[in-house]
Amino acid sequence: MSGRVRENMPDYKKDKKRVDGRKMDELRPLSIKVGVIPNADGSAYLEWGQNKVYAAVYGPREALPKHTQNPLKANIKVTYRMATFSVPERKQPRPNRRDMEISKVLGEALDKAVFTEQFPNTEIAVFVEVIDSNAGSRVACLTAASCAMADAGIPMKDMVAATGVGKAFGELIVDLNKDEEDAFDAVDIPFAILPNTKEIVLLQMDGLLKKSEWSEIAKLGYVACEKIYEIQKKALSEKYQLSEVSQKLIGDKSVSKSGEKDSAKIKKESKGKAKKVRK
Amino acid sequence: MSKKVVIPGELISAERKRLGSNVFVSGGKIYSKVLGISEDESEKASVVPLEGRYSPQQDDVVIGVVTRAIFAGYNININSFVESFIPKSAMRDDLKVGDLVSAKVEYVNELREADLGFARRMYGGEVIEVSPVRTPRLIGKSGSMLELLKQGTGCDIIIGKNGRVWARNGNIELLKKIVLFINDNSFKSNLTNSVEEFFKAEGIPVSAPKKDAIRVNNFVEESEVIVNDLEESELLN
């Protein structure tokens, strides 16, 4: 490490522990819930450390205005937004340069995973809204968006698993938090892969890195993404185990008694909810 | 047979198998395309999707809503990516915006636009919206579930493959409850039995129809009913 270390700065080489007590290759606690927005075709809510993210997917649907249609493939249109209260200083609600950039790179990453050629002239609209953030919100959004896409039943080659990797306080680490991102020697790399093929679909970098350090970091990233993939898998299949429990409840007790309650419950849970189109 | 929930990109089989729907091959292995259910031991590698939009297939019976009426014909929303068009010459009676139409998909082109045929206006009744990928469970094996629903609720039912269930007469409130129950539990096996129990608990006698005795005639049979009732409903109006 360079001799520029300031006083009261953590030194990860010496401490063997990070500022929030994690190991160098440990992720912040991650939980995903799928199917949270009834009006969307697919949706997901994700909590990753302090990051809280909602993702909603609509489509495939007719791309409008018509000149945006591509007769060979579907457009994936991602809208990344941060809530005004998601950062310490109020964020201007108007989409800024950063919002647009992240929307673009997320769309390109998802595009690699989806069989877009199956849906000519359509668009798949993805909305990701950051409710609370603490570094790594774009990878949180990408992880949530890919779960929401699977929940919408969109044909995909693979899920997209993403994490932040990089360097802070002299050590190579995984999933940087805000303190680490602001370190004097910080390197922050959003890293997203398709877990089956190990294909990298998102890679950006802030900071400076040696070539040898990068190959180490990539290894860390692959391992971390595998962990995230497992969590995504669990979240998606869990949705269909929960209903199993509710069905058992209905089956055990006499159905006629719980008629009112059941229908209310069913309506609440049901994604394709009943609508009276015409009487 | 063991069924399991698979996610997009999950390995279905490392061996060579016949390819069914919603799977793709990469590097000699078979993977799932969608979130769905796959059977391990079947000879065919295929996935039954759990979510998804309606994409029209030939010979599907669909229930559409008129969204626009112009001189030449009508735009029909069939819950797909694009609206379908029915020329006025193909319709026996005039339609208004908001009318319900049952029709059969005659042809689907490479842009997934559907040509509709046998279009008929539907009089009265209500529409229950469900997930399009789950409509096969509402019909059941060779129509057993549909038969059961008709028996139990006394409704005239048409199940549109596009996720719209049209019903008239009979106990529609009960039907709604059961249809939504099936919609929510579509990934479970033995649904016909649970629905039968449901009816029995409500005090409605039903007998599960014998499987070979039923013919799926979701379309023709019901459309005859509509024609017969046409005059009657006009009198009521």
Side-chain angles (χ1 to χ4, degrees):
Chain A
M1 207 170 74
S2 68
R4 295 192 291 125
V5 185
R6 282 152 234 189
E7 274 175 43
N8 301 327
M9 275 286 176
D11 183 356
Y12 281 1
K13 278 242 157 57
K14 214 159 62 192
D15 301 345
K16 306 280 177 210
K17 212 165 75 175
R18 288 158 68 174
V19 277
D20 50 6
R22 280 186 287 162
K23 287 178 214 144
M24 299 303 156
D25 58 350
E26 195 178 332
L27 297 163
R28 288 174 284 180
L30 169 61
S31 69
I32 306 173
K33 195 162 185 283
V34 159
V36 288
I37 302 172
N39 282 7
D41 289 319
S43 58
Y45 172 65
L46 172 144
E47 278 190 26
W48 192 343
Q50 202 193 314
N51 288 310
K52 294 180 181 68
V53 168
Y54 277 100
V57 173
Y58 298 82
R61 61 185 181 189
E62 193 178 5
L64 291 171
K66 263 199 155 168
H67 70 83
T68 59
Q69 292 182 351
N70 184 343
L72 300 177
K73 66 184 269 291
N75 301 326
I76 294 183
K77 198 170 130 195
V78 178
T79 313
Y80 168 98
R81 292 286 182 270
M82 289 180 99
T84 51
F85 48 82
S86 63
V87 275
E89 197 77 11
R90 179 178 187 273
K91 192 217 168 252
Q92 284 293 322
R94 140 168 34 79
N96 56 18
R97 198 214 92 252
R98 180 176 171 274
D99 290 344
M100 290 182 215
E101 178 206 309
I102 293 178
S103 302
K104 180 176 177 291
V105 293
L106 296 193
E108 282 165 4
L110 289 171
D111 197 271
K112 291 281 181 297
V114 177
F115 286 96
T116 48
E117 67 277 7
Q118 282 191 12
F119 305 102
N121 286 352
T122 60
E123 79 174 10
I124 299 168
V126 184
F127 295 91
V128 278
E129 186 78 35
V130 179
I131 305 299
D132 199 352
S133 74
N134 185 286
S137 73
R138 79 185 68 189
V139 287
C141 286
L142 190 51
T143 307
S146 102
C147 286
M149 278 219 161
D151 182 43
I154 293 165
M156 290 158 84
K157 288 183 198 80
D158 208 343
M159 302 292 292
V160 181
T163 180
V165 286
K167 185 175 137 184
F169 304 118
E171 194 62 280
L172 305 180
I173 54 175
V174 162
D175 190 19
L176 288 75
N177 64 20
K178 193 70 192 159
D179 296 332
E180 290 160 345
E181 212 179 69
D182 293 339
F184 64 94
D185 62 343
V187 180
D188 178 25
I189 306 175
F191 183 85
I193 62 165
L194 306 181
N196 277 339
T197 53
K198 307 267 182 268
E199 198 178 333
I200 294 176
V201 290
L202 171 66
L203 189 68
Q204 298 179 301
M205 181 162 95
D206 278 342
L208 296 170
L209 212 58
K210 283 184 213 147
K211 212 173 174 181
S212 57
E213 284 174 329
W214 157 245
S215 49
E216 278 300 308
I217 282 179
K219 270 180 217 158
L220 287 175
Y222 281 121
V223 175
C225 283
E226 284 298 327
K227 287 182 200 161
I228 287 153
Y229 178 62
E230 288 306 318
I231 295 169
Q232 287 178 319
K233 203 169 169 179
K234 216 177 116 213
L236 283 167
S237 48
E238 224 165 44
K239 188 182 169 189
Y240 299 95
Q241 258 108 53
L242 276 175
S243 315
E244 200 170 341
V245 175
S246 74
Q247 203 215 4
K248 250 182 208 163
L249 285 172
I250 295 167
D252 284 349
K253 286 158 196 165
S254 78
V255 188
S256 55
K257 252 189 210 169
S258 51
E260 283 284 312
K261 267 183 190 171
D262 277 345
S263 67
K265 202 172 169 190
I266 283 168
K267 261 178 203 159
K268 225 177 183 182
E269 281 175 11
S270 146
K271 225 194 93 194
K273 63 177 179 183
K275 263 186 224 160
K276 219 186 274 177
V277 170
R278 182 174 171 276
K279 208 170 177 181
Chain B
M1 265 194 292
S2 68
K3 288 179 178 174
K4 65 167 186 175
V5 176
V6 292
I7 67 168
E10 195 168 333
L11 185 72
I12 302 284
S13 166
E15 303 154 30
R16 281 173 67 100
K17 272 186 180 179
R18 273 201 303 136
L19 293 182
S21 53
N22 298 311
V23 291
F24 70 99
V25 181
S26 169
K29 290 177 181 170
I30 304 170
Y31 298 92
S32 169
K33 261 186 192 178
V34 294
L35 180 65
I37 292 171
S38 88
E39 279 173 21
D40 294 348
E41 286 148 39
S42 67
E43 280 183 17
K44 198 165 146 193
S46 73
V47 176
V48 180
L50 284 164
E51 307 283 348
R53 296 224 15 163
Y54 174 67
S55 117
Q57 306 281 317
Q58 207 166 343
D59 294 337
D60 279 357
V61 174
V62 294
I63 290 168
V65 182
V66 179
T67 55
R68 200 167 77 119
I70 54 171
F71 178 72
Y74 309 99
N75 277 15
I76 313 283
N77 175 353
I78 56 163
N79 210 5
S80 169
F81 315 117
V82 280
E83 292 187 338
S84 289
F85 184 77
I86 299 182
K88 249 182 196 167
S89 55
M91 285 299 297
R92 203 176 55 173
D93 34 19
D94 274 355
L95 298 176
K96 289 195 299 287
V97 171
D99 279 350
L100 281 181
V101 170
S102 83
K104 201 166 193 172
V105 177
E106 284 196 325
Y107 175 71
V108 183
N109 70 7
E110 64 275 17
L111 295 176
R112 302 205 178 198
E113 292 163 346
D115 289 349
L116 302 180
F118 302 104
R120 283 176 203 277
R121 188 180 159 193
M122 303 168 82
Y123 293 90
E126 278 186 40
V127 165
I128 307 167
E129 287 203 342
V130 294
S131 172
V133 291
R134 297 170 190 179
T135 48
R137 296 309 304 265
L138 286 170
I139 295 169
K141 260 189 195 132
S142 60
S144 55
M145 181 70 90
L146 180 60
E147 198 61 30
L148 196 67
L149 290 176
K150 280 180 184 171
Q151 233 183 66
T153 60
C155 295
D156 304 329
I157 305 169
I158 297 179
I159 295 170
K161 279 278 175 66
N162 56 345
R164 293 193 180 127
V165 178
W166 177 86
R168 193 178 54 182
N169 305 331
N171 191 346
I172 290 185
E173 288 306 312
L174 180 64
L175 181 75
K176 264 186 204 166
K177 219 160 90 180
I178 295 170
V179 165
L180 292 178
F181 171 80
I182 298 169
N183 187 43
D184 277 358
N185 295 285
S186 61
F187 56 97
K188 300 280 293 177
S189 50
N190 251 335
L191 263 183
T192 316
N193 287 352
S194 6
V195 171
E196 215 180 321
E197 275 168 30
F198 204 105
F199 277 126
K200 273 178 187 153
E202 293 269 328
I204 298 165
V206 283
S207 57
K210 280 173 200 159
K211 273 179 186 154
D212 47 342
I214 316 156
R215 289 271 153 86
V216 189
N217 215 341
N218 188 14
F219 183 62
V220 181
E221 189 189 308
E222 291 300 333
S223 57
E224 276 166 12
V225 174
I226 297 165
V227 176
N228 294 338
D229 288 356
L230 201 149
E231 287 166 8
E232 190 189 309
S233 60
E234 270 175 356
L235 281 176
L236 287 172
N237 291 335

